[in-house]
Amino acid sequence: GDSVTQMEGPVTLSEEAFLTINCTYTATGYPSLFWYVQYPGEGLQLLLKATKADDKGSNKGFEATYRKETTSFHLEKGSVQVSDSAVYFCALSEEGYSTLTFGKGTMLLVSP
Amino acid sequence: GAVVSQHPSWVICKSGTSVKIECRSLDFQATTMFWYRQFPKQSLMLMATSNEGSKATYEQGVEKDKFLINHASLTLSTLTVTSAHPEDSSFYICSGSGTSAYNEQFFGPGTRLTVL
């Protein structure tokens, strides 16, 4: 079955540091890939997405590139802010289906 | 993006009582709605998937008689936790999916249930 593997957290960074959160996936078809962010006490918000190989999703300074050859969708940001502190979930959705498969989430803590 | 609301945002109830959580898609028609449960510091666990007007499909291990899901319209789904017990305390999140070509789900803000 489908699965998503994320690096374990928490990831602790100082403000303005570079961020990478690794995500790899296993899927039978050609899935769409997503990053969701969850701020404390809130639901999930879609951060970015990519629907086919080599697509780059980007939003709020975050980027992730759909790499089919390495089955990866790593999240990056060049300069994190304290307000980026949250839990980040990588997810996939198989082509033609709405069901999402989530990774376990990675907590990011950014200190001033 | 599309907006999904949940009500209430938090609820405290006594053991043995039932609690209903509403999930509404405010600006789109959610042909499919999903209910998730999230334990502290863990990922989302899909509980069930429901299509408007049909019975919900429950994931393995989820008690359908305990977690009643109704999806009566394209904008409203409800989750009723029957005879709640302390182990049902959790964060419940719903999401809706319309006819997006990318199968995108839009998530509600979640409901914190505490059973005393």
Side-chain angles (χ1 to χ4, degrees), chain B residues 32-96:
Chain B
T32 305
M33 282 189 167
F34 304 84
W35 286 95
Y36 296 85
R37 183 172 179 177
Q38 186 180 29
F39 293 97
K41 299 182 181 180
Q42 294 192 27
S43 188
L44 280 73
M45 181 191 80
L46 179 64
M47 299 174 66
T49 303
S50 71
N51 292 297
E52 184 263 339
S54 302
K55 287 185 177 180
T57 301
Y58 290 80
E59 295 297 304
Q60 194 171 10
V62 178
E63 299 176 59
K64 60 180 67 177
D65 294 331
K66 180 166 189 62
F67 299 99
L68 301 179
I69 291 171
N70 182 278
H71 190 172
S73 76
L74 288 172
T75 59
L76 173 65
S77 177
T78 60
L79 167 67
T80 301
V81 183
T82 62
S83 187
H85 288 90
E87 57 266 29
D88 299 324
S89 298
S90 194
F91 196 52
Y92 292 89
I93 302 174
C94 74
S95 70

Side-chain angles (χ1 to χ4, degrees), chain A residues 1 14 75 78-79:
Chain A
S14 297
L75 182 68
S79 176

Side-chain angles (χ1 to χ4, degrees), chain A residues 18-66:
Chain A
F18 184 85
L19 168 72
T20 299
I21 299 178
N22 290 337
C23 171
T24 57
Y25 68 90
T26 302
T28 54
Y30 299 93
S32 296
L33 302 175
F34 306 85
W35 276 101
Y36 285 88
V37 58
Q38 184 179 33
Y39 297 101
E42 298 182 13
L44 273 68
Q45 301 175 27
L46 178 64
L47 181 60
L48 54 84
K49 65 185 179 187
T51 58
K52 60 183 187 297
D54 299 326
D55 268 2
K56 177 185 284 188
S58 61
N59 185 27
K60 299 181 181 179
F62 291 89
E63 292 183 340
T65 301
Y66 190 142

